[in-house]
Amino acid sequence: MSSPELLDHVVAGSGPGLVLIHGTGADATSNWGPIVDAMRDRYTVVAPNLPGAGATAVYPAPIDLDELADRIVATARAAGLERFHLAGHSVGAVVATAVAARHPDAVTSLVLHAGWVRTTAREKFMFDLWARLLRTDPDLLARQLILTAMGPGLLGALDEAGFAEMAAGFTAMLDERVLGQIELDSRVDLRDAVCRVTAPTLVVASADDQVVPPHHQRELAAAIDGAEYLQVPGGHGLPFEDPARFFSVVTEYVDKRQALDEA
């Protein structure tokens, strides 16, 4: 059997392993850049780019979640990590859950933000809208994402120029290379996988998430044996709207689990 193909990735620092998986339409740097810089002094941080992000090629067929989980682990091992803490945002949390279920001996701890167990009809309808807008008018998709992915605190503080600037930034991130990620979003079903997750897990929900509402994170936490659940203010795009809050949650949990692992 051939080895899994490696993903394009960012690697920095030295020490225990930390793998970070980005969300739909983002990439390793835009989603995780500040935390890579903050953690590289004490961890070897690996942030892969999912298919269609960075220099990772688009899948020629629908993304196979198990195969992608194997590629995440192969990429981490190529960077010298046999075991690692693992964090994921949005579909990155879905992928991280699949990694922890499929490779339990590799995962030291797990942080899942805005993840979900199964895509319901509501989310499938929304992801289909994303794909249609991306094919026809990425600027309209950017505007829709701003209004649904960002929390009311940020949206209430923006003026017209702020909305225009944010829309331009989102539009610049969006291209049809991420259609495969959106298609994966539309058919997530981890019901057979979550029961195999054995790593200590923190499930984080954003209280005002309109993309993947908090009931999905509560379901995810309930399905993983012993998982902790934390709800924080903000929207689905918490890593972008309030990076200080988001990254403090991740770093505090990883540091706590690493200290326990070393004790």
PDB file of all heavy atoms in Angstrom, residues 58-95:
ATOM      1  N   VAL A  58      -6.328  20.495  -5.382  1.00  0.00           N
ATOM      2  CA  VAL A  58      -7.736  20.154  -5.278  1.00  0.00           C
ATOM      3  C   VAL A  58      -7.903  18.647  -5.490  1.00  0.00           C
ATOM      4  O   VAL A  58      -7.228  18.056  -6.339  1.00  0.00           O
ATOM      5  CB  VAL A  58      -8.549  20.924  -6.334  1.00  0.00           C
ATOM      6  CG1 VAL A  58     -10.013  20.495  -6.328  1.00  0.00           C
ATOM      7  CG2 VAL A  58      -8.424  22.425  -6.100  1.00  0.00           C
ATOM      8  N   TYR A  59      -8.781  18.014  -4.708  1.00  0.00           N
ATOM      9  CA  TYR A  59      -9.075  16.603  -4.932  1.00  0.00           C
ATOM     10  C   TYR A  59      -9.720  16.426  -6.300  1.00  0.00           C
ATOM     11  O   TYR A  59     -10.614  17.199  -6.660  1.00  0.00           O
ATOM     12  CB  TYR A  59     -10.055  16.094  -3.868  1.00  0.00           C
ATOM     13  CG  TYR A  59      -9.445  15.288  -2.745  1.00  0.00           C
ATOM     14  CD1 TYR A  59      -8.252  15.669  -2.155  1.00  0.00           C
ATOM     15  CD2 TYR A  59     -10.086  14.151  -2.266  1.00  0.00           C
ATOM     16  CE1 TYR A  59      -7.713  14.934  -1.117  1.00  0.00           C
ATOM     17  CE2 TYR A  59      -9.560  13.410  -1.222  1.00  0.00           C
ATOM     18  CZ  TYR A  59      -8.372  13.806  -0.646  1.00  0.00           C
ATOM     19  OH  TYR A  59      -7.836  13.091   0.379  1.00  0.00           O
ATOM     20  N   PRO A  60      -9.339  15.396  -7.064  1.00  0.00           N
ATOM     21  CA  PRO A  60     -10.001  15.144  -8.345  1.00  0.00           C
ATOM     22  C   PRO A  60     -11.388  14.536  -8.174  1.00  0.00           C
ATOM     23  O   PRO A  60     -12.151  14.444  -9.121  1.00  0.00           O
ATOM     24  CB  PRO A  60      -9.055  14.158  -9.032  1.00  0.00           C
ATOM     25  CG  PRO A  60      -8.376  13.454  -7.899  1.00  0.00           C
ATOM     26  CD  PRO A  60      -8.222  14.473  -6.813  1.00  0.00           C
ATOM     27  N   ALA A  61     -11.707  14.107  -6.952  1.00  0.00           N
ATOM     28  CA  ALA A  61     -13.003  13.498  -6.646  1.00  0.00           C
ATOM     29  C   ALA A  61     -13.439  14.018  -5.282  1.00  0.00           C
ATOM     30  O   ALA A  61     -12.675  14.712  -4.607  1.00  0.00           O
ATOM     31  CB  ALA A  61     -12.862  11.973  -6.636  1.00  0.00           C
ATOM     32  N   PRO A  62     -14.661  13.707  -4.852  1.00  0.00           N
ATOM     33  CA  PRO A  62     -15.070  14.139  -3.508  1.00  0.00           C
ATOM     34  C   PRO A  62     -14.058  13.725  -2.440  1.00  0.00           C
ATOM     35  O   PRO A  62     -13.508  12.624  -2.476  1.00  0.00           O
ATOM     36  CB  PRO A  62     -16.416  13.428  -3.319  1.00  0.00           C
ATOM     37  CG  PRO A  62     -16.957  13.297  -4.700  1.00  0.00           C
ATOM     38  CD  PRO A  62     -15.759  13.031  -5.564  1.00  0.00           C
ATOM     39  N   ILE A  63     -13.831  14.606  -1.498  1.00  0.00           N
ATOM     40  CA  ILE A  63     -12.844  14.367  -0.448  1.00  0.00           C
ATOM     41  C   ILE A  63     -13.297  13.208   0.428  1.00  0.00           C
ATOM     42  O   ILE A  63     -14.418  13.203   0.944  1.00  0.00           O
ATOM     43  CB  ILE A  63     -12.643  15.632   0.403  1.00  0.00           C
ATOM     44  CG1 ILE A  63     -12.025  16.745  -0.440  1.00  0.00           C
ATOM     45  CG2 ILE A  63     -11.769  15.328   1.619  1.00  0.00           C
ATOM     46  CD1 ILE A  63     -11.972  18.098   0.260  1.00  0.00           C
ATOM     47  N   ASP A  64     -12.427  12.223   0.593  1.00  0.00           N
ATOM     48  CA  ASP A  64     -12.680  11.100   1.480  1.00  0.00           C
ATOM     49  C   ASP A  64     -12.137  11.465   2.859  1.00  0.00           C
ATOM     50  O   ASP A  64     -10.941  11.708   3.016  1.00  0.00           O
ATOM     51  CB  ASP A  64     -12.005   9.835   0.947  1.00  0.00           C
ATOM     52  CG  ASP A  64     -12.276   8.630   1.824  1.00  0.00           C
ATOM     53  OD1 ASP A  64     -11.588   8.485   2.849  1.00  0.00           O
ATOM     54  OD2 ASP A  64     -13.183   7.848   1.489  1.00  0.00           O
ATOM     55  N   LEU A  65     -12.998  11.520   3.865  1.00  0.00           N
ATOM     56  CA  LEU A  65     -12.602  12.017   5.182  1.00  0.00           C
ATOM     57  C   LEU A  65     -11.560  11.116   5.838  1.00  0.00           C
ATOM     58  O   LEU A  65     -10.608  11.603   6.458  1.00  0.00           O
ATOM     59  CB  LEU A  65     -13.833  12.157   6.071  1.00  0.00           C
ATOM     60  CG  LEU A  65     -13.646  12.864   7.412  1.00  0.00           C
ATOM     61  CD1 LEU A  65     -13.019  14.243   7.244  1.00  0.00           C
ATOM     62  CD2 LEU A  65     -14.985  12.970   8.143  1.00  0.00           C
ATOM     63  N   ASP A  66     -11.717   9.808   5.704  1.00  0.00           N
ATOM     64  CA  ASP A  66     -10.728   8.900   6.296  1.00  0.00           C
ATOM     65  C   ASP A  66      -9.374   9.067   5.627  1.00  0.00           C
ATOM     66  O   ASP A  66      -8.328   9.081   6.300  1.00  0.00           O
ATOM     67  CB  ASP A  66     -11.197   7.448   6.172  1.00  0.00           C
ATOM     68  CG  ASP A  66     -12.316   7.106   7.141  1.00  0.00           C
ATOM     69  OD1 ASP A  66     -12.517   7.865   8.113  1.00  0.00           O
ATOM     70  OD2 ASP A  66     -12.998   6.078   6.917  1.00  0.00           O
ATOM     71  N   GLU A  67      -9.365   9.185   4.300  1.00  0.00           N
ATOM     72  CA  GLU A  67      -8.102   9.386   3.587  1.00  0.00           C
ATOM     73  C   GLU A  67      -7.466  10.713   3.995  1.00  0.00           C
ATOM     74  O   GLU A  67      -6.238  10.802   4.184  1.00  0.00           O
ATOM     75  CB  GLU A  67      -8.334   9.360   2.078  1.00  0.00           C
ATOM     76  CG  GLU A  67      -7.051   9.525   1.271  1.00  0.00           C
ATOM     77  CD  GLU A  67      -7.304   9.556  -0.228  1.00  0.00           C
ATOM     78  OE1 GLU A  67      -8.440   9.272  -0.655  1.00  0.00           O
ATOM     79  OE2 GLU A  67      -6.358   9.878  -0.973  1.00  0.00           O
ATOM     80  N   LEU A  68      -8.285  11.737   4.161  1.00  0.00           N
ATOM     81  CA  LEU A  68      -7.751  13.032   4.586  1.00  0.00           C
ATOM     82  C   LEU A  68      -7.171  12.942   5.995  1.00  0.00           C
ATOM     83  O   LEU A  68      -6.108  13.521   6.266  1.00  0.00           O
ATOM     84  CB  LEU A  68      -8.856  14.090   4.523  1.00  0.00           C
ATOM     85  CG  LEU A  68      -8.456  15.514   4.900  1.00  0.00           C
ATOM     86  CD1 LEU A  68      -7.285  16.014   4.067  1.00  0.00           C
ATOM     87  CD2 LEU A  68      -9.659  16.452   4.751  1.00  0.00           C
ATOM     88  N   ALA A  69      -7.828  12.212   6.880  1.00  0.00           N
ATOM     89  CA  ALA A  69      -7.283  12.008   8.228  1.00  0.00           C
ATOM     90  C   ALA A  69      -5.919  11.334   8.154  1.00  0.00           C
ATOM     91  O   ALA A  69      -4.982  11.718   8.885  1.00  0.00           O
ATOM     92  CB  ALA A  69      -8.255  11.176   9.059  1.00  0.00           C
ATOM     93  N   ASP A  70      -5.766  10.347   7.287  1.00  0.00           N
ATOM     94  CA  ASP A  70      -4.475   9.678   7.124  1.00  0.00           C
ATOM     95  C   ASP A  70      -3.415  10.647   6.602  1.00  0.00           C
ATOM     96  O   ASP A  70      -2.247  10.593   7.010  1.00  0.00           O
ATOM     97  CB  ASP A  70      -4.607   8.497   6.161  1.00  0.00           C
ATOM     98  CG  ASP A  70      -5.458   7.363   6.712  1.00  0.00           C
ATOM     99  OD1 ASP A  70      -5.729   7.351   7.926  1.00  0.00           O
ATOM    100  OD2 ASP A  70      -5.857   6.487   5.915  1.00  0.00           O
ATOM    101  N   ARG A  71      -3.810  11.543   5.708  1.00  0.00           N
ATOM    102  CA  ARG A  71      -2.858  12.523   5.163  1.00  0.00           C
ATOM    103  C   ARG A  71      -2.423  13.525   6.244  1.00  0.00           C
ATOM    104  O   ARG A  71      -1.261  13.957   6.260  1.00  0.00           O
ATOM    105  CB  ARG A  71      -3.482  13.253   3.979  1.00  0.00           C
ATOM    106  CG  ARG A  71      -3.733  12.383   2.764  1.00  0.00           C
ATOM    107  CD  ARG A  71      -4.351  13.173   1.624  1.00  0.00           C
ATOM    108  NE  ARG A  71      -3.387  14.067   0.991  1.00  0.00           N
ATOM    109  CZ  ARG A  71      -3.699  14.942   0.040  1.00  0.00           C
ATOM    110  NH1 ARG A  71      -4.961  15.055  -0.368  1.00  0.00           N
ATOM    111  NH2 ARG A  71      -2.775  15.713  -0.487  1.00  0.00           N
ATOM    112  N   ILE A  72      -3.343  13.892   7.134  1.00  0.00           N
ATOM    113  CA  ILE A  72      -2.981  14.777   8.249  1.00  0.00           C
ATOM    114  C   ILE A  72      -1.905  14.113   9.104  1.00  0.00           C
ATOM    115  O   ILE A  72      -0.885  14.724   9.451  1.00  0.00           O
ATOM    116  CB  ILE A  72      -4.214  15.096   9.114  1.00  0.00           C
ATOM    117  CG1 ILE A  72      -5.264  15.891   8.320  1.00  0.00           C
ATOM    118  CG2 ILE A  72      -3.802  15.815  10.393  1.00  0.00           C
ATOM    119  CD1 ILE A  72      -4.966  17.332   8.109  1.00  0.00           C
ATOM    120  N   VAL A  73      -2.121  12.858   9.461  1.00  0.00           N
ATOM    121  CA  VAL A  73      -1.163  12.144  10.309  1.00  0.00           C
ATOM    122  C   VAL A  73       0.163  11.956   9.585  1.00  0.00           C
ATOM    123  O   VAL A  73       1.235  12.140  10.168  1.00  0.00           O
ATOM    124  CB  VAL A  73      -1.752  10.795  10.767  1.00  0.00           C
ATOM    125  CG1 VAL A  73      -0.702   9.966  11.500  1.00  0.00           C
ATOM    126  CG2 VAL A  73      -2.957  11.041  11.673  1.00  0.00           C
ATOM    127  N   ALA A  74       0.128  11.602   8.306  1.00  0.00           N
ATOM    128  CA  ALA A  74       1.367  11.431   7.542  1.00  0.00           C
ATOM    129  C   ALA A  74       2.143  12.741   7.468  1.00  0.00           C
ATOM    130  O   ALA A  74       3.380  12.752   7.567  1.00  0.00           O
ATOM    131  CB  ALA A  74       1.042  10.927   6.133  1.00  0.00           C
ATOM    132  N   THR A  75       1.433  13.851   7.313  1.00  0.00           N
ATOM    133  CA  THR A  75       2.089  15.152   7.252  1.00  0.00           C
ATOM    134  C   THR A  75       2.732  15.486   8.593  1.00  0.00           C
ATOM    135  O   THR A  75       3.863  15.992   8.639  1.00  0.00           O
ATOM    136  CB  THR A  75       1.065  16.236   6.860  1.00  0.00           C
ATOM    137  OG1 THR A  75       0.501  15.909   5.580  1.00  0.00           O
ATOM    138  CG2 THR A  75       1.700  17.611   6.792  1.00  0.00           C
ATOM    139  N   ALA A  76       2.025  15.201   9.683  1.00  0.00           N
ATOM    140  CA  ALA A  76       2.587  15.443  11.011  1.00  0.00           C
ATOM    141  C   ALA A  76       3.833  14.580  11.243  1.00  0.00           C
ATOM    142  O   ALA A  76       4.854  15.060  11.775  1.00  0.00           O
ATOM    143  CB  ALA A  76       1.541  15.159  12.083  1.00  0.00           C
ATOM    144  N   ARG A  77       3.769  13.329  10.823  1.00  0.00           N
ATOM    145  CA  ARG A  77       4.917  12.431  11.043  1.00  0.00           C
ATOM    146  C   ARG A  77       6.103  12.833  10.175  1.00  0.00           C
ATOM    147  O   ARG A  77       7.261  12.703  10.598  1.00  0.00           O
ATOM    148  CB  ARG A  77       4.485  10.990  10.794  1.00  0.00           C
ATOM    149  CG  ARG A  77       3.592  10.485  11.925  1.00  0.00           C
ATOM    150  CD  ARG A  77       3.098   9.080  11.755  1.00  0.00           C
ATOM    151  NE  ARG A  77       2.407   8.654  12.978  1.00  0.00           N
ATOM    152  CZ  ARG A  77       1.494   7.690  13.033  1.00  0.00           C
ATOM    153  NH1 ARG A  77       1.170   7.026  11.924  1.00  0.00           N
ATOM    154  NH2 ARG A  77       0.908   7.382  14.176  1.00  0.00           N
ATOM    155  N   ALA A  78       5.829  13.347   8.984  1.00  0.00           N
ATOM    156  CA  ALA A  78       6.925  13.830   8.138  1.00  0.00           C
ATOM    157  C   ALA A  78       7.636  15.016   8.788  1.00  0.00           C
ATOM    158  O   ALA A  78       8.817  15.266   8.517  1.00  0.00           O
ATOM    159  CB  ALA A  78       6.395  14.221   6.766  1.00  0.00           C
ATOM    160  N   ALA A  79       6.910  15.749   9.643  1.00  0.00           N
ATOM    161  CA  ALA A  79       7.504  16.868  10.381  1.00  0.00           C
ATOM    162  C   ALA A  79       8.125  16.420  11.696  1.00  0.00           C
ATOM    163  O   ALA A  79       8.574  17.259  12.487  1.00  0.00           O
ATOM    164  CB  ALA A  79       6.450  17.930  10.649  1.00  0.00           C
ATOM    165  N   GLY A  80       8.138  15.092  11.943  1.00  0.00           N
ATOM    166  CA  GLY A  80       8.794  14.549  13.129  1.00  0.00           C
ATOM    167  C   GLY A  80       7.879  14.298  14.307  1.00  0.00           C
ATOM    168  O   GLY A  80       8.360  14.007  15.409  1.00  0.00           O
ATOM    169  N   LEU A  81       6.570  14.364  14.115  1.00  0.00           N
ATOM    170  CA  LEU A  81       5.627  14.215  15.225  1.00  0.00           C
ATOM    171  C   LEU A  81       4.985  12.827  15.198  1.00  0.00           C
ATOM    172  O   LEU A  81       4.252  12.500  14.270  1.00  0.00           O
ATOM    173  CB  LEU A  81       4.533  15.280  15.146  1.00  0.00           C
ATOM    174  CG  LEU A  81       4.986  16.743  15.088  1.00  0.00           C
ATOM    175  CD1 LEU A  81       3.770  17.659  15.064  1.00  0.00           C
ATOM    176  CD2 LEU A  81       5.897  17.080  16.262  1.00  0.00           C
ATOM    177  N   GLU A  82       5.246  12.039  16.216  1.00  0.00           N
ATOM    178  CA  GLU A  82       4.546  10.766  16.366  1.00  0.00           C
ATOM    179  C   GLU A  82       3.259  10.939  17.155  1.00  0.00           C
ATOM    180  O   GLU A  82       2.260  10.280  16.892  1.00  0.00           O
ATOM    181  CB  GLU A  82       5.454   9.735  17.048  1.00  0.00           C
ATOM    182  CG  GLU A  82       6.589   9.253  16.167  1.00  0.00           C
ATOM    183  CD  GLU A  82       6.086   8.565  14.895  1.00  0.00           C
ATOM    184  OE1 GLU A  82       5.136   7.764  14.991  1.00  0.00           O
ATOM    185  OE2 GLU A  82       6.637   8.836  13.814  1.00  0.00           O
ATOM    186  N   ARG A  83       3.291  11.831  18.164  1.00  0.00           N
ATOM    187  CA  ARG A  83       2.096  12.172  18.931  1.00  0.00           C
ATOM    188  C   ARG A  83       1.967  13.692  18.940  1.00  0.00           C
ATOM    189  O   ARG A  83       2.968  14.411  18.870  1.00  0.00           O
ATOM    190  CB  ARG A  83       2.171  11.651  20.371  1.00  0.00           C
ATOM    191  CG  ARG A  83       2.208  10.147  20.483  1.00  0.00           C
ATOM    192  CD  ARG A  83       2.226   9.696  21.943  1.00  0.00           C
ATOM    193  NE  ARG A  83       0.949   9.918  22.622  1.00  0.00           N
ATOM    194  CZ  ARG A  83       0.789  10.630  23.733  1.00  0.00           C
ATOM    195  NH1 ARG A  83       1.821  11.241  24.289  1.00  0.00           N
ATOM    196  NH2 ARG A  83      -0.396  10.749  24.306  1.00  0.00           N
ATOM    197  N   PHE A  84       0.739  14.172  19.048  1.00  0.00           N
ATOM    198  CA  PHE A  84       0.556  15.623  18.977  1.00  0.00           C
ATOM    199  C   PHE A  84      -0.796  16.012  19.562  1.00  0.00           C
ATOM    200  O   PHE A  84      -1.762  15.249  19.546  1.00  0.00           O
ATOM    201  CB  PHE A  84       0.631  16.112  17.524  1.00  0.00           C
ATOM    202  CG  PHE A  84      -0.145  15.268  16.534  1.00  0.00           C
ATOM    203  CD1 PHE A  84      -1.507  15.471  16.332  1.00  0.00           C
ATOM    204  CD2 PHE A  84       0.496  14.256  15.820  1.00  0.00           C
ATOM    205  CE1 PHE A  84      -2.217  14.695  15.436  1.00  0.00           C
ATOM    206  CE2 PHE A  84      -0.219  13.465  14.915  1.00  0.00           C
ATOM    207  CZ  PHE A  84      -1.581  13.691  14.723  1.00  0.00           C
ATOM    208  N   HIS A  85      -0.835  17.220  20.125  1.00  0.00           N
ATOM    209  CA  HIS A  85      -2.100  17.861  20.428  1.00  0.00           C
ATOM    210  C   HIS A  85      -2.719  18.275  19.095  1.00  0.00           C
ATOM    211  O   HIS A  85      -2.006  18.591  18.136  1.00  0.00           O
ATOM    212  CB  HIS A  85      -1.881  19.082  21.321  1.00  0.00           C
ATOM    213  CG  HIS A  85      -1.185  18.763  22.610  1.00  0.00           C
ATOM    214  ND1 HIS A  85      -1.849  18.275  23.716  1.00  0.00           N
ATOM    215  CD2 HIS A  85       0.132  18.852  22.950  1.00  0.00           C
ATOM    216  CE1 HIS A  85      -0.970  18.080  24.691  1.00  0.00           C
ATOM    217  NE2 HIS A  85       0.229  18.423  24.248  1.00  0.00           N
ATOM    218  N   LEU A  86      -4.047  18.334  19.060  1.00  0.00           N
ATOM    219  CA  LEU A  86      -4.740  18.559  17.793  1.00  0.00           C
ATOM    220  C   LEU A  86      -5.887  19.529  18.010  1.00  0.00           C
ATOM    221  O   LEU A  86      -6.696  19.353  18.932  1.00  0.00           O
ATOM    222  CB  LEU A  86      -5.268  17.220  17.265  1.00  0.00           C
ATOM    223  CG  LEU A  86      -6.017  17.190  15.944  1.00  0.00           C
ATOM    224  CD1 LEU A  86      -5.162  17.707  14.801  1.00  0.00           C
ATOM    225  CD2 LEU A  86      -6.488  15.753  15.646  1.00  0.00           C
ATOM    226  N   ALA A  87      -5.946  20.574  17.183  1.00  0.00           N
ATOM    227  CA  ALA A  87      -7.032  21.550  17.261  1.00  0.00           C
ATOM    228  C   ALA A  87      -7.593  21.801  15.878  1.00  0.00           C
ATOM    229  O   ALA A  87      -6.847  21.840  14.895  1.00  0.00           O
ATOM    230  CB  ALA A  87      -6.542  22.853  17.889  1.00  0.00           C
ATOM    231  N   GLY A  88      -8.903  21.990  15.804  1.00  0.00           N
ATOM    232  CA  GLY A  88      -9.542  22.260  14.523  1.00  0.00           C
ATOM    233  C   GLY A  88     -10.667  23.256  14.671  1.00  0.00           C
ATOM    234  O   GLY A  88     -11.352  23.306  15.700  1.00  0.00           O
ATOM    235  N   HIS A  89     -10.847  24.051  13.625  1.00  0.00           N
ATOM    236  CA  HIS A  89     -11.924  25.037  13.559  1.00  0.00           C
ATOM    237  C   HIS A  89     -12.869  24.680  12.423  1.00  0.00           C
ATOM    238  O   HIS A  89     -12.434  24.408  11.295  1.00  0.00           O
ATOM    239  CB  HIS A  89     -11.338  26.434  13.326  1.00  0.00           C
ATOM    240  CG  HIS A  89     -12.324  27.432  12.800  1.00  0.00           C
ATOM    241  ND1 HIS A  89     -13.393  27.883  13.539  1.00  0.00           N
ATOM    242  CD2 HIS A  89     -12.419  28.048  11.590  1.00  0.00           C
ATOM    243  CE1 HIS A  89     -14.096  28.746  12.810  1.00  0.00           C
ATOM    244  NE2 HIS A  89     -13.532  28.861  11.624  1.00  0.00           N
ATOM    245  N   SER A  90     -14.191  24.652  12.701  1.00  0.00           N
ATOM    246  CA  SER A  90     -15.220  24.407  11.701  1.00  0.00           C
ATOM    247  C   SER A  90     -14.984  23.046  11.029  1.00  0.00           C
ATOM    248  O   SER A  90     -14.892  22.036  11.731  1.00  0.00           O
ATOM    249  CB  SER A  90     -15.263  25.567  10.701  1.00  0.00           C
ATOM    250  OG  SER A  90     -16.378  25.469   9.851  1.00  0.00           O
ATOM    251  N   VAL A  91     -14.865  22.988   9.697  1.00  0.00           N
ATOM    252  CA  VAL A  91     -14.613  21.684   9.099  1.00  0.00           C
ATOM    253  C   VAL A  91     -13.275  21.123   9.575  1.00  0.00           C
ATOM    254  O   VAL A  91     -13.078  19.902   9.590  1.00  0.00           O
ATOM    255  CB  VAL A  91     -14.669  21.745   7.553  1.00  0.00           C
ATOM    256  CG1 VAL A  91     -13.416  22.354   6.952  1.00  0.00           C
ATOM    257  CG2 VAL A  91     -14.903  20.360   6.964  1.00  0.00           C
ATOM    258  N   GLY A  92     -12.372  21.994  10.016  1.00  0.00           N
ATOM    259  CA  GLY A  92     -11.139  21.513  10.632  1.00  0.00           C
ATOM    260  C   GLY A  92     -11.405  20.728  11.900  1.00  0.00           C
ATOM    261  O   GLY A  92     -10.677  19.772  12.218  1.00  0.00           O
ATOM    262  N   ALA A  93     -12.468  21.096  12.642  1.00  0.00           N
ATOM    263  CA  ALA A  93     -12.853  20.320  13.819  1.00  0.00           C
ATOM    264  C   ALA A  93     -13.419  18.964  13.414  1.00  0.00           C
ATOM    265  O   ALA A  93     -13.201  17.954  14.096  1.00  0.00           O
ATOM    266  CB  ALA A  93     -13.872  21.101  14.647  1.00  0.00           C
ATOM    267  N   VAL A  94     -14.145  18.939  12.300  1.00  0.00           N
ATOM    268  CA  VAL A  94     -14.646  17.664  11.768  1.00  0.00           C
ATOM    269  C   VAL A  94     -13.475  16.753  11.399  1.00  0.00           C
ATOM    270  O   VAL A  94     -13.437  15.571  11.773  1.00  0.00           O
ATOM    271  CB  VAL A  94     -15.544  17.919  10.537  1.00  0.00           C
ATOM    272  CG1 VAL A  94     -15.852  16.618   9.804  1.00  0.00           C
ATOM    273  CG2 VAL A  94     -16.824  18.628  10.953  1.00  0.00           C
ATOM    274  N   VAL A  95     -12.512  17.304  10.673  1.00  0.00           N
ATOM    275  CA  VAL A  95     -11.349  16.518  10.262  1.00  0.00           C
ATOM    276  C   VAL A  95     -10.556  16.070  11.482  1.00  0.00           C
ATOM    277  O   VAL A  95     -10.106  14.919  11.564  1.00  0.00           O
ATOM    278  CB  VAL A  95     -10.464  17.326   9.295  1.00  0.00           C
ATOM    279  CG1 VAL A  95      -9.205  16.544   8.931  1.00  0.00           C
ATOM    280  CG2 VAL A  95     -11.232  17.702   8.038  1.00  0.00           C
TER     281      VAL A  95
END
